[in-house]
Amino acid sequence: MFGVVATSASATARVPDAAARTLVIDNSFVLVTADPGHMFEPTGELVVNALYDTLVTFYGGNFKKVVPDLATSYQVLNGARKYVFHLNPKAKFSDGTPVTSADVVWSLNRLINLKGNPAFLLAGETVTADGPETVVMTSAQPNPGLPYILPNPATGILNSKVVEAHGGTDATNASTKDTAENWLDTTSAGSGPYILKSFSTTTQVVLDANPNYWGPPPAYSTVVLRNTATAAVERLDVLRGTNEIALDLDPSQASGMSGVQVLEGASPNVFFMFANDNSKISKITPNHDFQMALRYGIDYAGLLQLAGAGSIQDPGIVPSAFLGALPASDDAKYDLAQAKSYLAKSGVGNPTLNLTYPTNLTENGLSFDDLAARLQQYLDQIGITVKLQPQSISVGLGTYRAGTEALGLWFWGPDFPDPSDYLNFGPGALVGLRAGWTAAEDPTVAALAKQAATTTGIAARQAIFEKFQLAMNATGPFIPLLQPAEVVVGTKGIKNLQSNGLWLVDLRNLG
Amino acid sequence: MARRLGIGVVLVIGITLVAFILTHLVPGDPAAANLSQSALGDPAIVKAFYHEYGLDKPVPEQYLIYLWKLVHLNLGISEQSHRPVATDLSQYFPATMELALFAIVVSTVLGVGFGVLAAVRRGRPIDGGLRVVSLLGVSMPTFWVALFVFYLFYYRLGWLPSGGRLSPGLNPPPTITGFYTVDSLLHGQFSLFFNALEHLVMPGMVLGLFTVGTVLRFTRASVLEVINNDYVRAARAKGLSEWTVIRRHVMRPALLSIATVAGLAFGNLLSGTVLVENIFSWPGIGQYAYLSATNLDLPAITGVSIVVAIVYIVINLLVDLLYSILDPRIELR
């Protein structure tokens, strides 16, 4: 089934060859660069994860357990203000030189100082070496989520000497002086199972197995990622067996496919709605009873039907696969009578409100236009007239960020799979303020958020984040709706195919 | 000619101004379109982004800087790809041109051939059949035709390959023209040439279908206009073969309007590539333009606008030149 790519003119251009196994993956590219310091796009995560090791990582799609990568172990000290990582002495770069603490310090400082898209991941962290195999990370504030942040491929470790020779720098002025990005788009300098053979943001990325890889050799000698802009084409490619994996099908496209593996699970993307708490934006939406009417007036089962098989209702803002997620028993319940009762109690009458959302945007096969139309229909049933205000994503993000939307429909994709990423939704925080929710207005939830940010220990963090979300649901302006399905389709011959909400599919552990 | 070129330069500058103004009128924020949500919450990252792309300067100053760079053939750095816009365009533009030229050549040849045939056999079944082909060509939605063709020729029959410019894993030939078919031939890579050629067939066919229909209609009408003229009858009366009559006495005057239609069709082909490029994963300028617009990537939007404007200007110039060749009475000023 797998083979090298033939150069003949035949339509089926692949010739089986067991010795040189080639894996072809269809993906609608969202790709800018293969430089870990600048990369923060879905396809980039997939590519960089295969090229660069991180200190710790996740196995398959399990985000609740951090497993060793370059670091065999780590210690959490001083209330999660200090982490000590012990490097695996066997680790070596693709040129055969060992991975040292100096490389780790250089790579992470470069990431911070480049001030690129992923720089916020390590905001407030200081990275130092304590001997050739020990790395120390310290922060003024406790950072209990750090082990869950570090698997992000953007924190991949580069061969510092090689990258420096090609214009890289970790100096504080790296944002203007580092010129290595273009070179890193042609050659990789990591210790991951693959090396970069060719890179194009428009056509394909080709990865070859790293001959000096220090871990178990990867199952494929070559991986080709093809930019396929249409999911219907990906579907036919996999069904025909021309290409092995399709990453962009939605549940309806995947249904009924036979002779292939279909993995359907909940994506970590959370779709939510908010009713702005700022009375300058709307006199109606800050009303708590009105917000409760919204919460009860949505037919969540209907939304899931729209989103397709594999989607799930979201009881809280933290996705189900992450530490701190609420159990399904805390799902909001659709109750028409209760919704009408809250609306009557609110005293706002039968209001007409604008619902702003990004138009022509589809995430995990779920269209915001369709979702907004459904919400309009449901809220109409309880006496709220919703006027749809579709906006292009670049325009809509402006009003969303400015906090000027009365009703908003958006989604949040995780920056890293830790509940601390969702503290952004707290009162006075980044997204909270977009919904007009200030810390002064809700000091109880603000205090819970502050406590959650500093609590350490898995059980204690689970408990505090559950408490934080229940309090958010009780008094906050956000209504978590659902997590759409994430579908990965592969041909039968691929072993250990696992989807991953961060880097799409786990290339490292394919059999 | 010098006057025409001068007008062209003024047009290009005008287009940069329009693109600049329009992009700034859109109430969007390039940082919001290009940075992640959390990065947007970090003022240092946002500031670095604005500084890197010169967005922290007043708009008139940004425009003047842009023009100054343009004089030095520097189209700026794309906010979405982090590469020089000129580098991006040098990758995307040849892909679209290769596809569009393939489509225009094939469709014009077919359209003219079918049009002449329909006119010569006017009122006969073949004329009716070809008029149906023409109607289908101009009326069927491109995306539907594209998916149907893909399903039939790739999935069902397996005669043609999937999308893209080459099969997965194949390396493009070293760049000379950016046309994979031409570059592979120039390097003697014949298997690569055939691979690139067979990848051109489906998107070229779909893209050219509309043009076939249009050219067929115009050719038929133009030929019918002249086919019964006295000088054509006289040519026939002299005993010339029908083919000679058509070629020398009918086609010559008809070619003027066909050249106009083909020129216009080529412009339409370029704008029609967005859908076809998407369905056939063709990394062309249509995809780049779409991504640039949705990311408010000003340097890229302006770069694409300039290139498309130049293409239109050049096409019009070529059509005018063609006029003077086809009809020496027409003089190019």
Side-chain angles (χ1 to χ4, degrees), chain B residues 40-328:
Chain B
L40 284 170
D42 188 331
I45 296 175
V46 175
K47 193 178 168 190
F49 178 86
Y50 275 89
H51 181 70
E52 185 173 356
Y53 296 103
L55 299 169
D56 50 357
K57 296 184 172 66
V59 174
E61 192 182 339
Q62 286 182 43
Y63 183 61
L64 290 177
I65 292 172
Y66 184 83
L67 283 186
W68 178 248
K69 286 182 177 170
L70 190 61
V71 171
H72 297 86
L73 301 178
N74 178 354
L75 295 172
I77 304 289
S78 162
E79 292 156 16
Q80 50 169 332
S81 72
H82 300 185
R83 283 188 302 273
V85 172
T87 306
D88 283 345
L89 290 174
S90 69
Q91 286 177 2
Y92 290 103
F93 184 63
T96 297
M97 284 302 285
E98 184 175 31
L99 178 58
L101 280 173
F102 178 82
I104 196 77
V105 169
V106 173
S107 59
T108 305
V109 168
L110 289 178
V112 170
F114 288 159
V116 171
L117 191 60
V120 171
R121 300 278 183 268
R122 185 184 184 187
R124 296 187 190 173
I126 195 162
D127 180 30
L130 287 170
R131 286 168 74 183
V132 170
V133 168
S134 165
L135 187 68
L136 289 175
V138 295
S139 60
M140 279 198 300
T142 305
F143 74 92
W144 185 87
V145 177
L147 287 175
F148 174 76
V149 163
F150 190 86
Y151 179 80
L152 182 67
F153 291 108
Y154 163 62
Y155 183 67
R156 273 286 159 210
L157 301 174
W159 291 354
L160 291 166
S162 183
R165 294 182 77 186
L166 291 172
S167 293
L170 286 186
N171 286 324
T175 303
I176 297 174
T177 63
F179 290 18
Y180 285 0
T181 45
V182 176
D183 290 350
S184 54
L185 277 181
L186 290 175
H187 287 92
Q189 296 172 308
F190 297 109
S191 62
L192 204 61
F193 166 76
F194 286 114
N195 196 284
L197 189 64
E198 65 178 1
H199 278 81
L200 266 173
V201 174
M202 267 197 295
M205 203 158 71
V206 174
L207 196 59
L209 191 62
F210 181 86
T211 311
V212 171
T214 315
V215 173
L216 192 158
R217 284 182 159 214
F218 270 83
T219 307
R220 182 178 177 277
S222 304
V223 170
L224 284 177
E225 248 178 51
V226 294
I227 204 163
N228 291 322
N229 282 352
D230 289 344
Y231 70 88
V232 177
R233 282 205 205 99
R236 282 206 183 98
K238 281 198 291 183
L240 292 175
S241 71
E242 187 64 17
W243 168 240
T244 309
V245 172
I246 296 286
R247 189 167 53 87
R248 293 181 60 180
H249 299 283
V250 175
M251 283 308 292
R252 193 91 189 223
L255 276 176
L256 278 178
S257 53
I258 292 168
T260 311
V261 174
L264 287 172
F266 191 72
N268 287 336
L269 280 184
L270 286 177
S271 56
T273 54
V274 178
L275 262 177
V276 174
E277 284 177 3
N278 257 296
I279 291 170
F280 291 99
S281 307
W282 196 268
I285 207 158
Q287 280 199 41
Y288 188 58
Y290 173 75
L291 288 173
S292 308
T294 51
N295 286 295
L296 289 180
D297 186 349
L298 178 64
I301 292 170
T302 319
V304 170
S305 306
I306 290 172
V307 165
V308 172
I310 290 172
V311 169
Y312 269 87
I313 291 167
V314 169
I315 288 170
N316 278 308
L317 196 64
L318 287 177
V319 170
D320 289 349
L321 281 172
L322 205 58
Y323 280 163
S324 58
I325 293 168
L326 294 173
D327 187 348

Side-chain angles (χ1 to χ4, degrees), chain A residues 102-335:
Chain A
D103 293 304
V104 178
V105 173
W106 188 91
S107 302
L108 300 185
N109 279 334
R110 177 176 181 265
L111 171 67
I112 295 166
N113 292 327
L114 280 175
K115 297 190 177 72
N117 223 341
F120 72 92
L121 290 170
L122 298 182
E125 290 292 331
T126 304
V127 192
T128 54
D130 184 11
E133 288 167 12
T134 305
V135 175
V136 180
M137 294 181 76
T138 52
S139 57
Q141 299 298 320
N143 191 358
L146 186 63
Y148 298 85
I149 293 173
L150 289 173
N152 192 304
T155 70
I157 306 306
L158 300 107
N159 189 331
S160 59
K161 286 189 179 64
V162 173
V163 182
E164 263 184 340
H166 291 89
T169 174
D170 68 338
T172 50
N173 60 357
S175 65
T176 53
K177 296 297 177 193
D178 185 285
T179 56
E181 184 182 356
N182 286 346
W183 181 76
L184 286 167
D185 285 346
T186 60
T187 315
S188 55
S191 57
Y194 290 93
I195 55 173
L196 190 62
K197 185 181 178 195
S198 71
F199 179 85
S200 161
T201 55
T202 58
T203 52
Q204 64 179 10
V205 176
V206 183
L207 312 175
D208 275 349
N210 174 1
N212 286 320
Y213 186 50
W214 57 283
Y220 293 88
S221 56
T222 301
V223 174
V224 181
L225 274 116
R226 283 184 74 236
N227 185 14
T228 316
T230 312
V233 170
E234 290 188 24
R235 186 176 188 273
L236 295 181
D237 278 343
V238 174
L239 279 174
R240 197 173 158 77
T242 316
N243 301 338
E244 281 81 20
I245 297 177
L247 295 177
D248 302 291
L249 303 193
D250 63 39
S252 63
Q253 287 166 322
S255 69
M257 289 178 80
S258 58
V260 292
Q261 305 179 59
V262 179
L263 308 181
E264 281 176 331
S267 150
N269 292 329
V270 173
F271 283 62
F272 61 89
M273 185 181 169
F274 67 81
N276 204 309
D277 249 3
N278 185 346
S279 56
K280 288 179 186 162
I281 302 302
S282 166
K283 298 290 176 205
I284 296 162
T285 54
N287 185 307
H288 181 252
D289 289 319
F290 171 80
Q291 292 176 351
M292 293 307 281
L294 293 181
R295 199 176 295 277
Y296 282 107
I298 294 168
D299 180 355
Y300 298 94
L303 297 184
L304 294 186
Q305 187 195 31
L306 180 69
S311 61
I312 58 168
Q313 189 181 339
D314 218 3
I317 204 69
V318 176
S320 60
F322 295 1
L323 176 75
L326 286 172
S329 55
D330 287 317
D331 279 343
K333 305 288 185 294
Y334 173 49
D335 187 333

